[in-house]
Amino acid sequence: MQEQWEAAYLSPFASLSVNTKGRQRPEEECDVRTCFQRDRDRIIHCKSFRRMKDKTQVFLSPEGDHYRTRLTHTLEVSQISRTCAKALMLNENLTEAIALGHDLGHTPFGHAGEAELNKLCSKGFDHSRQSLRTVERIEKKGVGLNLTFEVRDGILNHQTKGNPSTLEGKIVRLCDKIAYINHDIDDAIRARILKEEDIPKKYTDLLGNRVRDRLNTMIHDLITSSMGYPEISMSEPVFQAMMGLRAFMFENVYRNPGAKTEEKKARKLLAALFEYYIENPIELSEEYRKLAETEGTETAVCDYIAGMTDRYAVMKFQELFQPRFWKV
């Protein structure tokens, strides 16, 4: 019935569940959920998804309960993406699954952690590829989640350089930017790194003078610009303003010493952990020791560190490198 509903009511440009390119390993279909619904559920129930609640989005160790984490960012991307998919009569379940899985491979300490692992690993490190690797090779003790091609393709190609093969994936690719630009502005204002008046008027005059107004402008523009077309796009003025705002954030927030005061420490911490486990792979957990045997120590160590939460990375560093006090 779900598949029949999709065929009858979704846009001719939508990705239908019945037309999926399938999974890496064949399996019996569910009698209640479509394949994309099952993928969404598998992602929500996996360990990597839960760990995102303790992974940095922008601000390391913020003093306050209301700053975004990697998990709350993911949920905001999912909400915005679903809104756009529903308005365009595209496959909301596929869109949601891609959005919920797009950052599963992100490192502890945000992009600082990603940059450090990229420097340390001989093959480099990219969180999009790692997110795909997480669902294909790491989750469920090496078995993977066995997701459909469309979801895996959307996860891999969610960054600016990517080119998803479905419109649902293209929605997530744009909505990821819409989400993080706006919620990072909100967090930066909360952290007193920015004031609303600091944002250039050439952007606010078009997009709006509040976070909610800018979100509303960008989301509506994406929907109206994409309606009735086999492509997902934004109007040129709004897209250029959004990318200008993104460049402004890189200049004033993402590279701002006030937002990044702890980054050097975080990078040194990850470098120390990486070196230690390269020299002592026997101390990796069992599933990563198995990966080391089949894919090499460096790959397993990279996987292990990338999967850590901020808190766990700090705990392991203290356990390995800080002397223990004598107990009375």
Side-chain angles (χ1 to χ4, degrees), residues 58-60 191-193 252-262:
V58 172
F59 296 92
L60 272 65
R192 298 182 181 179
I193 289 173
N252 294 276
V253 176
Y254 303 142
R255 299 190 183 112
N256 184 298
K260 299 301 182 184
T261 51
E262 302 298 301

Side-chain angles (χ1 to χ4, degrees), residues 270-325:
L270 292 186
L273 290 177
F274 186 87
E275 182 180 354
Y276 180 85
Y277 285 113
I278 288 290
E279 295 175 356
N280 302 277
I282 192 66
E283 295 196 33
L284 294 169
S285 62
E286 182 183 359
E287 60 191 288
Y288 293 97
R289 290 200 301 272
K290 290 180 180 177
L291 276 174
E293 292 171 4
T294 57
E295 300 190 43
T297 298
E298 186 187 79
T299 297
V301 170
C302 191
D303 288 340
Y304 183 50
I305 292 176
M308 290 180 175
T309 63
D310 296 16
R311 187 187 314 173
Y312 186 76
V314 171
M315 184 195 75
K316 294 305 291 185
F317 181 85
Q318 292 173 337
E319 178 184 305
L320 295 171
F321 298 108
Q322 288 189 4
R324 296 178 182 176
F325 293 103

Side-chain angles (χ1 to χ4, degrees), residues 163-179:
N163 184 27
S165 63
T166 65
L167 296 192
E168 290 81 2
K170 293 178 190 295
I171 283 177
V172 174
R173 179 175 169 271
L174 273 176
C175 289
D176 182 32
K177 293 179 183 59
I178 292 173

Side-chain angles (χ1 to χ4, degrees), residues 43-108:
I43 290 168
I44 287 175
H45 287 280
C46 77
K47 292 189 294 183
S48 302
F49 186 82
R50 296 194 292 276
R51 288 199 299 268
M52 287 195 293
K53 68 183 173 64
D54 286 322
K55 289 192 177 191
T56 291
Q57 172 62 21
V58 172
F59 296 92
L60 272 65
S61 303
E63 295 181 3
D65 295 331
H66 299 131
Y67 292 91
R68 272 73 171 186
T69 65
R70 189 61 55 182
L71 179 60
T72 54
H73 158 72
T74 293
L75 294 176
E76 290 184 31
V77 174
S78 175
Q79 178 267 314
I80 295 169
S81 299
R82 286 173 52 220
T83 295
C84 294
K86 193 161 191 170
L88 294 168
M89 299 301 290
L90 297 176
N91 197 312
E92 191 177 347
N93 293 319
L94 171 57
T95 307
E96 184 177 24
I98 295 169
L100 292 175
H102 82 281
D103 270 355
L104 289 177
H106 231 301
T107 60

Side-chain angles (χ1 to χ4, degrees), residues 43-265:
I43 290 168
I44 287 175
H45 287 280
C46 77
K47 292 189 294 183
S48 302
F49 186 82
R50 296 194 292 276
R51 288 199 299 268
M52 287 195 293
K53 68 183 173 64
D54 286 322
K55 289 192 177 191
T56 291
Q57 172 62 21
V58 172
F59 296 92
L60 272 65
S61 303
E63 295 181 3
D65 295 331
H66 299 131
Y67 292 91
R68 272 73 171 186
T69 65
R70 189 61 55 182
L71 179 60
T72 54
H73 158 72
T74 293
L75 294 176
E76 290 184 31
V77 174
S78 175
Q79 178 267 314
I80 295 169
S81 299
R82 286 173 52 220
T83 295
C84 294
K86 193 161 191 170
L88 294 168
M89 299 301 290
L90 297 176
N91 197 312
E92 191 177 347
N93 293 319
L94 171 57
T95 307
E96 184 177 24
I98 295 169
L100 292 175
H102 82 281
D103 270 355
L104 289 177
H106 231 301
T107 60
F109 310 121
H111 288 286
E114 181 174 18
E116 188 63 24
L117 279 187
N118 185 51
K119 185 179 83 172
L120 293 167
C121 298
S122 62
K123 297 178 183 177
F125 182 89
D126 175 86
H127 81 268
S128 294
R129 293 198 306 269
Q130 189 67 18
S131 293
L132 180 64
R133 179 169 170 78
T134 298
V135 300
E136 286 187 344
R137 189 71 182 88
I138 298 174
E139 271 294 337
K140 297 186 73 173
K141 297 183 177 179
V143 176
L145 301 181
N146 198 27
L147 305 180
T148 57
F149 165 83
E150 292 80 6
V151 174
R152 290 183 285 117
D153 170 80
I155 289 173
L156 177 63
N157 290 291
H158 77 269
Q159 289 184 279
T160 301
K161 62 189 176 184
N163 184 27
S165 63
T166 65
L167 296 192
E168 290 81 2
K170 293 178 190 295
I171 283 177
V172 174
R173 179 175 169 271
L174 273 176
C175 289
D176 182 32
K177 293 179 183 59
I178 292 173
Y180 75 67
I181 289 169
N182 284 288
H183 65 50
D184 290 352
I185 288 174
D186 191 37
D187 281 354
I189 291 172
R190 179 174 289 107
R192 298 182 181 179
I193 289 173
L194 274 186
K195 299 190 294 292
E196 180 64 44
E197 308 85 72
D198 295 331
I199 303 172
K201 277 183 63 60
K202 61 183 176 180
Y203 305 136
T204 57
D205 284 350
L206 178 61
L207 300 175
N209 292 292
R210 295 181 299 175
V211 169
R212 59 182 292 179
D213 294 334
R214 289 188 285 269
L215 276 169
N216 189 57
T217 299
M218 293 180 192
I219 293 168
H220 275 79
D221 185 80
L222 186 153
I223 292 168
T224 56
S225 298
S226 306
M227 189 77 71
Y229 294 101
E231 189 53 72
I232 302 300
S233 63
M234 300 173 75
S235 69
E236 192 63 19
V238 171
F239 179 76
Q240 290 302 327
M242 180 181 77
M243 296 306 286
L245 201 53
R246 179 175 180 267
F248 169 80
M249 290 296 290
F250 269 95
E251 183 71 25
N252 294 276
V253 176
Y254 303 142
R255 299 190 183 112
N256 184 298
K260 299 301 182 184
T261 51
E262 302 298 301
E263 270 198 2
K264 287 184 180 179
K265 297 177 187 176

